[in-house]
Amino acid sequence: MSPRRNRPRGGAEKPAAAPYDMNGERYGLERTESWQGEEWAVRMIGGGAAAKRYRCPGCDQEIPPGVPHLVAWPQYGAGVEERRHWHKACWNARDRRSAKLQRSRNAPRY
């Protein structure tokens, strides 16, 4: 009897494919979208990579750790402080939502 083989037979190892969401979009890849006359960089964040709590500017609700969402920021002239974490549905409905949401005085600002 010959010993068990621990590595696959064949050529070089194939790189692992990036994970996809339900609509076939790849997590972690950046794309550009136009909104309010500006170009925005948009990146999907998978649930495993979401480690902190964020507040969605579209619905003013918390995005808890472990929930897939997206990050958007102005493409040009923006720093790290301009990044905003959105629910995917809120980002898709951003033109139908009001511009200024009123938050109660004691609500946390994430």
Side-chain angles (χ1 to χ4, degrees):
M1 194 186 303
S2 62
R4 193 174 117 204
R5 219 180 153 94
N6 287 330
R7 56 182 174 256
R9 294 181 185 193
E13 288 187 32
K14 297 176 185 171
Y20 290 84
D21 73 349
M22 302 272 299
N23 297 327
E25 295 181 27
R26 292 180 69 171
Y27 290 116
L29 292 183
E30 194 173 305
R31 66 180 188 270
T32 304
E33 292 187 23
S34 184
W35 181 47
Q36 294 181 342
E38 280 188 80
E39 294 295 316
W40 290 73
V42 179
R43 183 180 298 157
M44 296 285 296
I45 305 295
K52 291 173 34 181
R53 293 186 183 275
Y54 299 101
R55 185 162 299 274
C56 175
C59 64
D60 200 38
Q61 299 295 312
E62 238 181 42
I63 303 173
V67 173
H69 60 280
L70 58 89
V71 180
W73 64 94
Q75 183 76 27
Y76 303 106
V80 175
E81 64 277 353
E82 295 294 318
R83 290 187 297 187
R84 298 292 176 259
H85 294 253
W86 294 70
H87 293 106
K88 186 174 179 183
C90 295
W91 176 256
N92 292 338
R94 64 193 178 273
D95 291 327
R96 296 187 303 267
R97 299 201 183 253
S98 64
K100 300 284 185 189
L101 292 172
Q102 295 297 318
R103 190 180 301 163
S104 68
R105 290 178 191 254
N106 58 357
R109 293 188 176 267
Y110 294 116

